Amino acid sequence: GENVEQHPSTLSVQEGDSAVIKCTYSDSASNYFPWYKQELGKRPQLIIDIRSNVGEKKDQRIAVTLNKTAKHFSLHITETQPEDSAVYFCAAKGYGGSQGNLIFGKGTKLSVKP
Amino acid sequence: DAGVIQSPRHEVTEMGQEVTLRCKPISGHDYLFWYRQTMMRGLELLIYFNNNVPIDDSGMPEDRFSAKMPNASFSTLKIQPSEPRDSAVYFCASSLGLAGYNEQFFGPGTRLTVL
């Protein structure tokens, strides 16, 4: 089945700097890769997603890139702000026995220091 | 729409007791997921349903856990008997259309503490 590895587990940046979170997946058939943001004590919420027919997608200060050959994808946050502080989860669409569901990475705790 | 609704929001119980968590998905959504979140293991999928039918329960940790979806607007996750290691936040999520291609909307979660 699908396996998703996420790095780093914690990330601390200064306000205004960029933050990059990387994920790798194991199943080359996976074709959908969402990113969820979870603020402290809140529920995970989708912030951006990318499908395998696209190499990059941007939405204001956030962007996601996908390298299908290397089987990895990354979240980029530019001009970070304190409200970006949260746990970020990457995910990949499962196949085989887990067909139809999302396999999540372990999460990255991002801290943005003012 | 009120979004995915879960109850209770917090549950404290003693080891050996039965615990029932409840979820109401977003109206019209045909997929429902139960997740467990802990610091050590992150966000784990326990089971998911499509049109009220369980599709994949390979994430259910053991026989003490069971889940049902008697109709399109209600699901339960039951733990019997509960153990301290079951302490976690349990999320229910729902999506419209093929799982994995459509956004999963999460509920607020139930924080379970087993003493």
Side-chain angles (χ1 to χ4, degrees), chain A residues 50-69:
Chain A
I50 191 168
R51 302 184 191 280
S52 60
N53 59 345
V54 175
E56 182 177 4
K57 184 177 180 180
K58 290 183 179 180
D59 183 3
Q60 299 182 338
R61 294 186 299 106
I62 61 174
V64 57
T65 58
L66 172 65
N67 184 325
K68 290 174 57 180
T69 302

Side-chain angles (χ1 to χ4, degrees), chain A residues 11-49:
Chain A
L11 179 59
S12 182
V13 300
Q14 287 294 132
E15 182 177 358
D17 288 350
S18 295
V20 181
I21 302 170
K22 299 180 180 181
C23 290
T24 60
Y25 59 98
S26 59
D27 191 340
S28 56
S30 292
N31 58 5
Y32 175 66
F33 309 92
W35 287 87
Y36 281 77
K37 175 183 179 182
Q38 185 179 25
E39 297 177 356
L40 187 62
K42 300 287 184 63
R43 72 192 76 186
Q45 291 188 294
L46 180 72
I47 55 171
I48 194 168
D49 57 14

Side-chain angles (χ1 to χ4, degrees), chain B:
Chain B
D1 197 317
V4 177
I5 299 172
Q6 289 186 248
S7 65
R9 295 292 307 278
H10 302 274
E11 177 79 28
V12 180
T13 190
E14 292 187 347
M15 182 174 63
Q17 297 297 307
E18 177 181 297
V19 175
T20 300
L21 311 181
R22 298 173 176 78
C23 175
K24 176 180 168 56
I26 293 173
S27 178
H29 282 193
D30 53 351
Y31 282 84
L32 183 139
F33 308 81
W34 282 102
Y35 291 92
R36 178 173 68 177
Q37 185 175 40
T38 61
M39 289 294 292
M40 290 297 294
R41 301 174 68 89
L43 199 57
E44 301 175 277
L45 177 68
L46 300 177
I47 185 171
Y48 78 96
F49 296 83
N50 175 218
N51 291 323
N52 314 336
V53 176
I55 301 302
D56 183 357
D57 65 354
S58 60
M60 297 286 263
E62 46 198 278
D63 292 345
R64 297 185 297 107
F65 286 69
S66 62
K68 295 182 179 180
M69 192 165 185
N71 57 63
S73 59
F74 183 66
S75 177
T76 60
L77 178 67
K78 184 177 293 186
I79 308 172
Q80 165 68 20
S82 58
E83 297 182 3
R85 60 193 169 117
D86 301 330
S87 297
V89 179
Y90 291 81
F91 286 102
C92 175
S94 70
S95 68
L96 175 63
L98 185 61
Y101 288 111
N102 299 280
E103 179 178 358
Q104 290 188 20
F105 292 85
F106 283 76
T110 294
R111 182 174 295 278
L112 173 65
T113 302
V114 183
L115 303 175

